[in-house]
Amino acid sequence: MDLFTKAAELGIQTGFHDGQGEWHTTDAEALKIILDAMPVRTAHRFLDSSVVLRAGEACRTILTEAASFPLQWKISSAGKTIAEGTTADRNIDWPEQLPSGFHRVELTDASLFSEEAPFIVAPAKAFAGEFDRSWILAVQLYGVRSERNWGIGDFTDLQSLLHLAARLGAGGVGLNPLHALFDDRPAECSPYSPNSRLFLNPLYIDIEALPEFAAHDSGDVLANLRATPVVDYVEVARLKAVALRAAFEEFCGNPDSARQAAFASFRVERAPLLTRFACFEVLRHKFQTAWWDWPEEWQHPDDGQCERLRAGPDGREVAFIEYVQWNADLQLKQCFDLTAELGMSVGLYLDVAVGVQSGGFDAWNEQIAISRHLSIGAPPDALQPAGQNWGLAGFNGAGLEVQSFAPFREMLRAAMRYAGAIRLDHVLGLNRLYVVPHGYAADNGAYVKMPLQALLAATAQESIANRCVVIGEDLGTVPEGFRDQLAAWGLWSYLVMMFERDDRGGFRGIGHYAPHALVTFNTHDLPTFAGWRSFADLVMKRGLGIDPGESDESRHHAIDMLNQALRDQDIFREDFYGVAQFLSRTRTRLLAIALEDLLGVVDQPNIPGTIDEHPNWRQRLPVSVDHIVDAIDRDSLNMATADRQPVMVA
């Protein structure tokens, strides 16, 4: 079998049309690497894919022509048979009243050939939320200033933001990803390039809120960190690491305390993943190299090995990593609990990165489901003619199916643990992922098909279980019918006003925006309103040698078109509050308003394609969280969002 035939059987598209309509065929050498990165899986003989049912709905599966009859089928869960039957032809009409969950189905035909596949019974739709039309305050948490934090926004600042948002009438606060990064490489601060999506970034811990914290004199150092225009991640990480270790030593000195009992319960609750993560971090610090270069016995996660490490000389270091995660979890939970106390209709809206770093915990822990030799990205288009390589490892469908999609569900569960809504970055990746082998240019990748229906079913199930709205970031070239499939499963769309324009460049009217969506003026990768209106983003990019893809003349036209769209709604102010009022009138159930826009910040949080040329993910807000309420025009904001004051749906 040649490479291209094998690729087709595995759902790998060996060619694609780029944004200019030109056809690209993946090089044979690159294609071989992609094929070798896929886990070994026996092809289904009777089924085309996993079986997906919606609870309470009739479902029929048509078997392939390879089946011989009579064919027996048996559905099992946790080792117990929950349904079985026989079919005399290629049609199986599944029972309608099966328990929700991830099961296995075994099929045996007349030739006594047997195969198994995941059998998923999911809710009809994801959680729809209990609010009508609300809005959230969108914030980059690291950039929040306060008179007490250590130079980076933390979970106590988040509590202050929640109080502020409630005071302004918002239904919640939206945040950048809180995923764990690499604690010994603090300068690598992009929240979208995580070590793990299953655990939290400990830099957000408020050290002084720890019961074990002992105050010490570091006044000048902290004062300097609080005054910097950008987050000094290296110094912040150094200070917090020292303080966390001191707190841990104090904690260990009270073995009979109530906190010790709570910590023990947390370790049991989050095992075995927490134990594996802690062991991984200890080993990573010890070996100081990529995990695939570690001694053979540590190149794959092994719970027995982890328990022996925990019981040996490194056990205290393992416990320290777990202690840090426990405190991060506790402080985020306090924020979650506060949203309920404040009666917030949405609560915390958390972002989920599309992939992970290949050298991180998730890639080590899930070597079947995550392909470390491949990076996800995007093929060439008008804005990125060379294509994009995001340097992240993503899930592969074959590996997920082998494990009944458990790694994907664990990721969702971690994200939804304390969230009322989450956003899945690049949700198009649930349908297909563009992957590039390491060492190859971004235009020499291939699309790998993903098991969309199974992933949507898993998302709906976790959404219902955690009462969490799911929003899919569906920007870019969207396959026909894809948004309809998301909507059918209850996933919301993500609408950015800057992109919602017609062929003339005019901004679409309020009737264009669908109800089940989040709407916003911009994103973290786009100019702030003040930057856009003042052409500052164009000046910045040109100064960095980046083609902004837009002329000054085009920007003047865009501003004129925006002003016209506002006037069409009898909105005669041309500032951000006018835009907020426009968006507030749309039918979309959720509106996100960036705090940077309310404060008139000019520079954007991130400029794609840059690393050190621009202070990406480092910029801090111009005012302290305690003074934000006085720095914004509350009357104008209240008028703009009057239709979206949080009203709970009975």
Side-chain angles (χ1 to χ4, degrees):
M1 184 186 300
D2 66 27
L3 288 174
F4 291 89
T5 302
K6 184 178 179 181
E9 288 188 357
L10 293 176
I12 299 172
Q13 300 174 12
T14 57
F16 58 89
H17 287 101
D18 65 17
Q20 287 73 43
E22 295 185 12
W23 180 257
H24 290 250
T25 299
T26 308
D27 286 349
E29 291 183 1
L31 182 60
K32 184 178 186 307
I33 295 174
I34 294 172
L35 287 169
D36 289 344
M38 296 293 116
V40 176
R41 184 190 68 172
T42 303
H44 290 309
R45 181 169 174 175
F46 304 143
L47 300 169
D48 292 328
S49 61
S50 302
V51 180
V52 177
L53 279 69
R54 282 175 157 149
E57 296 184 9
C59 178
R60 168 178 288 183
T61 292
I62 300 177
L63 303 173
T64 67
E65 294 182 356
S68 60
F69 304 97
L71 180 144
Q72 296 179 324
W73 55 264
K74 179 172 66 176
I75 304 168
S76 59
S77 182
K80 297 181 179 180
T81 300
I82 59 175
E84 57 187 330
T86 303
T87 181
D89 56 34
R90 292 175 58 198
N91 299 319
I92 300 179
D93 292 306
W94 303 107
E96 293 185 21
Q97 302 303 320
L98 293 172
S100 180
F102 279 70
H103 316 304
R104 302 288 297 180
V105 61
E106 181 182 2
L107 303 102
T108 304
D109 74 351
S111 71
L112 300 183
F113 183 90
S114 295
E115 72 175 19
E116 282 194 11
F119 191 98
I120 307 167
V121 182
K125 285 192 173 186
F127 181 64
E130 294 181 328
F131 55 89
D132 182 12
R133 291 164 64 252
S134 188
W135 70 279
I136 58 173
L137 191 65
V139 184
Q140 305 296 323
L141 183 56
Y142 57 83
V144 176
R145 291 181 185 271
S146 68
E147 296 174 4
R148 42 141 299 279
N149 74 30
W150 286 23
I152 187 172
D154 59 29
F155 289 132
T156 296
D157 291 326
L158 178 53
Q159 291 194 39
S160 297
L161 286 168
L162 289 167
H163 282 289
L164 169 67
R167 187 175 175 185
L168 295 175
V173 169
L175 300 171
N176 54 279
L178 303 179
H179 307 318
L181 305 183
F182 294 93
D183 59 3
D184 54 349
R185 285 144 51 186
E188 298 177 17
C189 58
S190 170
Y192 290 91
S193 297
N195 174 354
S196 174
R197 292 179 291 192
L198 303 176
F199 296 97
L200 297 169
N201 185 344
L203 290 185
Y204 293 123
I205 294 174
D206 176 5
I207 302 294
E208 296 181 13
L210 300 179
E212 297 85 19
F213 172 73
H216 58 283
D217 185 12
S218 55
D220 289 345
V221 175
L222 289 179
N224 291 337
L225 286 176
R226 292 181 186 122
T228 57
V230 296
V231 178
D232 184 347
Y233 281 100
V234 173
E235 185 63 10
V236 168
R238 185 188 70 80
L239 283 178
K240 290 204 171 189
V242 170
L244 281 167
R245 287 194 176 275
F248 177 65
E249 291 303 319
E250 179 68 21
F251 174 77
C252 292
N254 294 280
D256 299 323
S257 68
R259 290 256 297 165
Q260 284 279 0
F263 177 48
S265 296
F266 178 77
R267 296 172 91 176
V268 171
E269 176 200 352
R270 299 299 299 274
L273 287 175
L274 176 63
T275 307
R276 290 184 199 169
F277 176 73
C279 290
F280 175 85
E281 289 294 275
V282 170
L283 294 167
R284 191 172 61 78
H285 297 156
K286 180 178 181 178
F287 295 130
Q288 290 292 304
T289 186
W291 55 261
W292 48 87
D293 292 327
W294 291 355
E296 178 66 29
E297 66 266 25
W298 289 115
Q299 288 184 14
H300 295 83
D302 181 282
D303 291 334
Q305 284 275 77
C306 286
E307 285 302 325
R308 285 188 286 275
L309 184 71
R310 191 175 179 181
D314 291 311
R316 195 173 181 90
E317 191 66 15
V318 172
F320 171 70
I321 301 295
E322 294 174 320
Y323 169 83
V324 170
Q325 282 299 316
W326 173 54
N327 282 289
D329 186 89
L330 281 176
Q331 291 192 6
L332 183 57
K333 183 180 186 300
Q334 289 171 354
C335 297
F336 173 73
D337 292 341
L338 179 59
T339 65
E341 293 173 22
L342 295 172
M344 304 188 100
S345 55
V346 180
L348 295 176
Y349 163 92
L350 302 180
D351 218 350
V352 182
V354 65
V356 296
Q357 291 208 36
S358 60
F361 169 72
D362 289 4
W364 175 76
N365 187 56
E366 294 297 349
Q367 295 175 43
I368 295 175
I370 294 178
S371 305
R372 75 167 177 88
H373 295 286
L374 307 175
S375 294
I376 54 180
D381 59 22
L383 293 178
Q384 300 283 346
Q388 299 178 64
N389 183 334
W390 299 332
L392 299 173
F395 286 126
N396 70 75
L400 286 174
E401 184 176 285
V402 167
Q403 299 182 81
S404 293
F405 304 94
F408 181 72
R409 290 184 284 144
E410 287 166 351
M411 181 203 73
L412 291 175
R413 210 169 294 138
M416 295 175 178
R417 184 172 170 87
Y418 298 126
I422 64 168
R423 188 193 80 141
L424 296 179
D425 194 25
H426 192 62
V427 75
L428 299 172
L430 299 187
N431 182 48
R432 62 179 187 175
L433 274 176
Y434 183 77
V435 298
V436 182
H438 290 178
Y440 284 79
D443 63 353
N444 204 356
Y447 277 113
V448 178
K449 189 69 177 171
M450 296 290 284
L452 176 62
Q453 293 303 313
L455 294 175
L456 291 175
T459 303
Q461 185 176 67
E462 293 301 329
S463 169
I464 290 292
N466 293 278
R467 300 179 62 77
C468 183
V469 173
V470 180
I471 295 147
E473 185 267 284
D474 51 354
L475 305 177
T477 304
V478 181
E480 185 176 354
F482 177 71
R483 287 193 176 105
D484 293 335
Q485 293 192 69
L486 294 185
W489 279 98
L491 274 67
W492 295 11
S493 191
Y494 185 74
L495 303 175
V496 179
M497 186 180 183
M498 291 181 74
F499 295 149
E500 298 298 329
R501 300 170 67 180
D502 59 27
D503 294 340
R504 301 178 303 104
F507 287 83
R508 300 188 186 279
I510 62 172
H512 165 76
Y513 294 88
H516 294 291
L518 178 145
V519 65
T520 183
F521 175 73
N522 50 18
T523 76
H524 52 259
D525 288 337
L526 295 173
T528 64
F529 179 81
W532 182 80
R533 189 101 191 181
S534 66
F535 295 58
D537 61 307
L538 303 183
V539 173
M540 171 71 77
K541 289 180 179 178
R542 289 168 187 153
L544 295 174
I546 299 173
D547 181 2
E550 184 178 0
S551 66
D552 288 359
E553 182 181 1
S554 296
R555 179 61 58 83
H556 278 296
H557 177 67
I559 291 172
D560 289 341
M561 291 293 96
L562 176 62
N563 293 339
Q564 182 61 54
L566 298 180
R567 287 193 296 271
D568 289 344
Q569 293 298 317
D570 294 327
I571 300 171
F572 297 103
R573 60 189 305 167
E574 298 178 351
D575 58 6
F576 179 72
Y577 294 100
V579 171
Q581 187 172 1
F582 176 94
L583 294 175
S584 187
R585 291 180 182 178
T586 65
R587 297 173 296 162
T588 56
R589 291 184 58 193
L590 194 56
L591 163 65
I593 296 178
L595 186 51
E596 291 95 339
D597 287 329
L598 293 179
L599 294 173
V601 173
V602 172
D603 204 1
Q604 65 198 70
N606 179 56
I607 296 180
T610 65
I611 301 176
D612 297 323
E613 306 92 323
H614 179 265
N616 296 333
W617 313 117
R618 293 171 172 83
Q619 295 176 90
R620 305 181 69 201
L621 294 173
V623 297
S624 166
V625 65
D626 297 322
H627 298 127
I628 289 174
V629 72
D630 299 318
I632 62 178
D633 186 343
R634 289 182 61 194
D635 291 338
S636 295
L637 180 60
N638 288 337
M639 182 179 297
T641 59
D643 292 336
R644 289 182 178 263
Q645 299 306 309
V647 177
M648 301 293 287
V649 176

